[in-house]
Amino acid sequence: MIRRVIAPIVEWSRAHAVLVVVAALVLAIASGFYAASRITVDTDLDKLISPHLPWRELAQEMDKAFPQKVDLLVIVIDGTTPDQTEDAAVALAAKLRSEPTIFRDVRLPDLDKFFRRNGLLFLPTTQVQDYANQMIAAQPFLGSLAADPSLRGVFGIVDLMAQAVQQGAVQPRDVSAALHGIERAVESTLAGKYAPLSWQTMLSNTAPAPDDLRRIVLTQAALDYKSLTPGEDAIGAVRNAAAELGLTPDRGVHVRITGSVALDDEQLATLAKGAGFSTVLSLGLLCLWLLLALRSLRIFAAIIITLTVGLLVTTAFAVLAIGPFNPISVAFAVLFVGISVDLGIQFSVRYRDERYRVGDLTEALMRTARGIGRAMAVAALAAGVGFFSFVPTDYSGVSELGWIAGVGMIIALVLNLTLLPALIALMRPRGEPRPVGFAWAGAADRLLLRRRSTVLIGAAVVAVICLAAVPRIRFDFNPLDLQNQQSESVATLNDLMSDPMNTPYTIDILTPSPAAAAVLAKRLDALPEVDQTISISSFVPDDQDAKLAILNDARTLLAPTLSPATIKPPPTAAESFDAIRTTDAELKKIINRYAGAERVSGALDKLLAKGTRDLPLLKANLSDEIPNRLQDVRLALDAQKVTLDDIPPAVKRDWVTADGRALVEVYPKGDPRDNAVLRRFVKAVRAIAPDATGSPVTIQESARTVTRAFVTAGIIAVAAIALLLFVVLRRVRDVVVVLVPLLLAGLLTLATTAAFSLPLNYANIIALPLLLGIGVSFDIYFVMRWRAGSSDLLQSSTARAILFSALTTGTAFGSLALSNHPGTASMGALLTISLGYTLLCTFVVLPALLGPPPAQPD
């Protein structure tokens, strides 16, 4: 029946070639204009999975409860001193708050006034006592700095130190750290470098911890999902602000950006990066394979025109029926090119073969339609069914791809049976002077027939070996592993995760009240898979009375020192210069008692020799931040008892909703980047709190959703293709013969991933159903030719068409393997591997399965 329909269509298209071509060109132009005026891309990766799944609804409920935690741009600031880092974070946050159209929210979690005042209460009591002792010991310094927070005051203190050493009141070791800090600041000034002295380190006389040298600014950016990089404006604003404020590596400050917005932007940008080169290379190779397959520029032009028209029409359909493309559905173009070119090659190579046999163009086209048209229709429909099998899944991104690619297969088939023969009729390519197939492959045909049993036994052994390897297949559904590990956002996030407190892999649980949150947190803390929990109750410190008593005693002693009755006015440059000269003279007097004084004095001599020119930079390095550090000490000593009611709204809103529900945040024990650790963590927490959500739950559930989608698609595709083949072929044996090589190719592909430690992931798992949709066409072409009585499959024009079709499709897939995006590259690599195995099984296993052709009726 199919043959009876196709042959008249091809003949009508040939007879009305001008009409067909003009209609196709009008359709292409209309489609192009429509698509160009309405095409959009929605780069919101959250929309790639159905929002109606239970775990997605829980995540959406959490986002609604705490909207300020959604779409975060995380700015990580590293400095050389605690003072510099803190001041840089405060300055950058203030600058970003001045751009409300770009940043809806800007927060400094560590530097909220609540924590600056009460932060010591969260430390062990012994550390609070140590801090109080250090401040009391530094009282002379604090008093001098509070009364004169300037260069004059700083060098006045150094002067007093030198006098105390000279008089024997203190030992050189007691002032060595302070003098060394002054020396470094002066040397940096002489070198023209901004390197401020850390007064926090100086006053505490302790080396800063790594946490002290890092601050985090959380921003919520306004995003444009119509752009390839929705957060581009916000990221650019952060970089510009950092540059304007001098927060640069040469000034000792490193500003890096991560968070969900930056990760998604860099992922999408990485996909686009290098796409131009890979596309040009792919198109160049595609044209080369077409020319080698066709040996005719006119037929080559006809296929390219047919391909272009089909691509435009399919794009217009997608824009009209589906709407915005998503980051997955845009891949329809690669799939369409592969299948459409395959159909074009099959038709054109068969036409060349028939043209060689009969000479007449019209007769050759009719013989082509009768000989290959049915196989093309079945192949296109089978591929379409493979793509349509994605539609009923919850993986929305691939579901939309299935719709577009499935309809694209029908469009490609129609055009290759109408427009392509019409173009060939109009272009009238020259006749064929020699056979089109591979005459040299005759020996292989005969060998496969003689050694059928050996080939089939070998294939069975290979299949068993591959099945044994299947349990070793590794699934990696950590989305971070699909991104460029060298990109700033990923490298920064990995750096942050070296501190368990900064991991993004936390589980979030919404409870009815703060009291319920505290009870749940206690139960979760008992789990071996849980490192710790945080809830609103975590912001009420333990043992407050003892700590407050220590701080109250210190405040009583230091309050008059920190708040002097009078503060000297800022000195003039001459006064600062005189203070430096006086200090230098005092330092020279103690050189014989403290060798370090000679280095400090030598640095001051160089500074004095240059006059007052370097005083502004010296002021920035030594004294500009003294008022801020004194205020930090005042606030720390003024800590107040904290209850739940005392927690400020800016902190509370991250843990308690307006209607009183409370959040529990659960941290994993072990490395959460290990999939096994993450699975155990999620399972343990959900056993107690089934409504848990957060990135670990999302990762695990996304993996299940994606895996289930592809298993579902695979089952539907196999069943539907088998049914289609049975309807067309009417023989169960022939259906089995078509599917067996594909299943073997699939096993070989899976075994290769296991053998070479190539894990399956969100991106490359698409290769398996696509293998079925695309590979089935190769087998169909051979089976249909065999049923027509051909025994020379490998030397036939069909083999030539299949080979060059595989090369063109492989080129399209191979271009994906060149992507800078690891996920896309892995998808391209696995598609190419699976296509190679499909071709191998089609050329070796399928002829052995088929055996001698059936007898043809006279």
Side-chain angles (χ1 to χ4, degrees):
M1 177 181 173
I2 295 176
R3 184 184 292 113
R4 289 197 299 268
V5 172
I6 290 176
I9 290 175
V10 172
E11 171 57 20
W12 188 91
S13 300
R14 182 204 62 77
H16 301 84
V18 174
L19 176 62
V20 170
V21 171
V22 170
L25 293 179
V26 169
L27 178 61
I29 293 170
S31 298
F33 274 109
Y34 178 82
S37 63
R38 295 174 180 264
I39 191 169
T40 58
V41 178
D42 187 344
T43 53
D44 187 351
L45 300 181
D46 284 341
K47 294 180 180 178
L48 294 182
I49 293 179
S50 170
H52 303 300
L53 295 168
W55 62 271
R56 287 278 283 143
E57 290 175 344
L58 285 172
Q60 291 163 33
E61 182 185 3
M62 186 66 71
D63 290 345
K64 290 178 182 177
F66 300 100
Q68 70 275 17
K69 294 188 175 186
V70 180
D71 295 332
L72 288 181
L73 196 64
V74 179
I75 306 166
V76 180
I77 302 172
D78 295 297
T80 53
T81 69
D83 316 52
Q84 183 186 33
T85 308
E86 182 174 316
D87 294 340
V90 171
L92 183 59
K95 180 73 173 174
L96 299 181
R97 287 190 188 106
S98 68
E99 300 190 58
T101 57
I102 300 178
F103 299 100
R104 298 197 300 269
D105 187 32
V106 179
R107 288 176 286 154
L108 284 165
D110 301 350
L111 299 178
D112 184 273
K113 192 172 182 179
F114 171 78
F115 294 109
R116 292 175 64 201
R117 170 171 275 131
N118 302 302
L120 289 174
L121 299 180
F122 294 93
L123 298 176
T125 305
T126 54
Q127 291 186 27
V128 176
Q129 185 65 67
D130 290 343
Y131 177 83
N133 293 340
Q134 290 163 358
M135 293 305 102
I136 291 170
Q139 186 174 20
F141 296 115
L142 293 173
S144 297
L145 292 175
D148 189 3
S150 66
L151 283 177
R152 179 181 56 202
V154 171
F155 283 102
I157 292 173
V158 178
D159 192 334
L160 292 175
M161 287 180 183
Q163 292 181 39
V165 171
Q166 186 179 2
Q167 295 165 7
V170 298
Q171 296 300 313
R173 65 174 178 272
D174 297 328
V175 300
S176 62
L179 291 179
H180 184 53
I182 298 295
E183 178 194 351
R184 286 201 308 272
V186 174
E187 290 287 3
S188 296
T189 301
L190 290 170
K193 293 171 55 180
Y194 174 72
L197 175 68
S198 173
W199 285 101
Q200 289 187 31
T201 304
M202 180 85 76
L203 295 172
S204 64
N205 199 28
T206 56
D211 286 350
D212 296 329
L213 301 177
R214 173 169 291 170
R215 289 291 179 265
I216 294 175
V217 180
L218 299 180
T219 69
Q220 195 172 41
L223 304 179
D224 176 15
Y225 285 114
K226 293 181 180 179
S227 168
L228 178 63
T229 49
E232 181 179 7
D233 290 345
I235 292 172
V238 172
R239 300 201 191 284
N240 291 337
E244 289 176 18
L245 294 170
L247 307 181
T248 55
D250 61 301
R251 290 173 64 84
V253 180
H254 294 260
V255 177
R256 293 177 293 166
I257 302 172
T258 186
S260 60
V261 172
L263 288 166
D264 290 349
D265 269 25
E266 286 198 346
Q267 179 172 206
L268 294 167
T270 301
L271 284 168
K273 184 179 180 182
F277 170 75
S278 61
T279 300
V280 170
L281 178 62
S282 175
L283 289 175
L285 287 173
L286 186 146
C287 292
L288 174 64
W289 303 136
L290 279 176
L291 288 171
L292 289 175
L294 304 172
R295 296 176 182 170
S296 167
L297 286 175
R298 296 181 184 183
I299 300 178
F300 167 80
I303 287 183
I304 294 299
I305 292 171
T306 303
L307 171 65
T308 304
V309 172
L311 199 55
L312 289 173
V313 173
T314 304
T315 303
F317 160 78
V319 173
L320 175 65
I322 306 298
F325 286 102
N326 64 59
I328 293 178
S329 65
V330 294
F332 89 92
V334 174
L335 303 178
F336 183 88
V337 168
I339 297 296
S340 181
V341 168
D342 169 63
L343 295 173
I345 288 177
Q346 292 294 335
F347 188 94
S348 301
V349 171
R350 186 59 172 263
Y351 159 78
R352 290 184 58 219
D353 186 35
E354 299 295 347
R355 185 73 183 275
Y356 168 75
R357 297 175 188 276
V358 300
D360 181 67
L361 185 150
T362 299
E363 181 62 21
L365 283 174
M366 287 304 301
R367 288 169 63 99
T368 299
R370 289 192 293 267
I372 196 68
R374 185 182 181 207
M376 287 173 59
V378 175
L381 290 174
V385 166
F387 292 127
F388 283 131
S389 67
F390 290 116
V391 173
T393 68
D394 291 316
Y395 196 3
S396 304
V398 173
S399 176
E400 292 179 5
L401 173 63
W403 267 117
I404 300 169
V407 172
M409 297 306 98
I410 298 172
I411 293 171
L413 175 63
V414 170
L415 290 173
N416 278 283
L417 293 177
T418 55
L419 178 59
L420 181 58
L423 288 168
I424 291 175
L426 289 178
M427 293 181 177
R428 306 193 67 80
R430 289 193 297 268
E432 296 296 330
R434 55 185 179 274
V436 175
F438 298 131
W440 50 265
D445 276 323
R446 294 187 292 274
L447 177 65
L448 288 174
L449 285 177
R450 286 199 312 271
R451 304 291 186 182
R452 284 186 67 200
S453 299
T454 303
V455 172
L456 295 179
I457 292 172
V461 171
V462 169
V464 171
I465 294 172
C466 291
L467 281 171
V470 167
R472 296 177 53 200
I473 295 171
R474 186 163 61 90
F475 291 84
D476 182 2
F477 289 108
N478 187 334
L480 275 183
D481 293 340
L482 298 183
Q483 296 191 232
N484 183 356
Q485 299 299 301
Q486 306 306 314
S487 68
E488 180 185 80
S489 60
V490 176
T492 302
L493 185 59
N494 285 331
D495 184 19
L496 282 176
M497 285 192 291
S498 61
D499 179 356
M501 283 300 297
N502 288 327
T503 179
Y505 297 118
T506 58
I507 287 179
D508 299 326
I509 306 163
L510 202 55
T511 64
S513 66
V519 172
L520 178 60
K522 188 173 182 180
R523 291 181 64 194
L524 293 171
D525 279 328
L527 294 174
E529 294 85 2
V530 172
D531 185 47
Q532 65 169 333
T533 61
I534 297 179
S535 67
I536 189 64
S537 299
S538 305
F539 297 92
V540 179
D542 297 328
D543 198 19
Q544 291 190 65
D545 291 339
K547 298 171 186 175
L548 287 170
I550 294 169
L551 295 175
N552 286 337
D553 289 343
R555 183 172 68 247
T556 301
L557 286 172
L558 295 173
T561 301
L562 291 169
S563 301
T566 59
I567 298 177
K568 291 183 178 180
T572 63
E575 289 172 332
S576 297
F577 197 76
D578 288 342
I580 295 170
R581 186 162 43 220
T582 301
T583 300
D584 186 27
E586 291 298 330
L587 287 171
K588 285 181 167 53
K589 295 177 183 178
I590 63 168
I591 289 174
N592 60 334
R593 301 196 60 182
Y594 173 50
E598 184 174 9
R599 295 194 304 272
V600 183
S601 177
L604 292 179
D605 286 340
K606 296 176 185 176
L607 185 70
L608 292 169
K610 299 176 71 174
T612 60
R613 181 174 63 190
D614 286 347
L615 288 185
L617 180 56
L618 183 64
K619 177 174 175 288
N621 282 336
L622 272 180
S623 62
D624 275 356
E625 296 306 322
I626 290 175
N628 291 337
R629 301 295 79 81
L630 293 173
Q631 181 60 16
D632 289 342
V633 176
R634 294 187 192 102
L635 280 173
L637 296 178
D638 192 37
Q640 305 294 319
K641 188 161 188 173
V642 178
T643 67
L644 283 177
D645 293 334
D646 297 319
I647 298 173
V651 176
K652 186 175 289 186
R653 71 173 186 144
D654 285 343
W655 300 94
V656 181
T657 65
D659 59 6
R661 291 175 295 166
L663 173 67
V664 177
E665 200 168 73
V666 191
Y667 288 74
K669 183 171 289 183
D671 184 2
R673 287 168 288 189
D674 184 326
N675 288 330
V677 170
L678 209 60
R679 279 195 298 270
R680 290 193 296 269
F681 173 56
V682 171
K683 182 179 179 181
V685 173
R686 292 178 90 181
I688 293 176
D691 291 341
T693 184
S695 59
V697 175
T698 297
I699 290 171
Q700 297 300 310
E701 289 293 347
S702 296
R704 292 191 186 97
T705 300
V706 172
T707 303
R708 188 166 55 244
F710 283 103
V711 169
T712 301
I715 293 172
I716 293 174
V718 169
I721 290 173
L723 179 60
L724 173 67
L725 292 175
F726 180 75
V727 169
V728 174
L729 302 177
R730 303 296 179 92
R731 296 177 192 166
V732 174
R733 177 189 180 276
D734 290 356
V735 173
V736 172
V737 166
V738 169
L739 293 178
V740 165
L742 289 178
L743 296 178
L744 179 58
L747 286 174
L748 284 165
T749 301
L750 291 175
T752 300
T753 66
F756 292 94
S757 298
L758 302 172
L760 295 178
N761 54 49
Y762 284 119
N764 64 25
I765 196 173
I766 197 174
L768 302 179
L770 287 184
L771 165 65
L772 186 62
I774 295 174
V776 71
S777 62
F778 295 167
D779 293 356
I780 287 172
Y781 296 134
F782 263 180
V783 169
M784 301 291 272
R785 181 137 193 160
W786 173 81
R787 282 165 61 105
S790 176
S791 61
D792 57 348
L793 296 180
L794 296 185
Q795 55 188 309
S796 68
S797 61
T798 301
R800 180 185 185 88
I802 289 174
L803 175 62
F804 282 100
S805 176
L807 288 172
T808 56
T809 304
T811 297
F813 291 161
S815 68
L816 297 177
L818 298 177
S819 172
N820 290 293
H821 185 267
T824 303
S826 72
M827 178 173 68
L830 200 58
L831 282 169
T832 304
I833 291 170
S834 67
L835 184 64
Y837 282 133
T838 301
L839 191 63
L840 175 67
C841 292
T842 299
F843 279 178
V844 177
V845 177
L846 182 56
L849 279 169
L850 290 171
Q856 299 299 304
D858 294 333

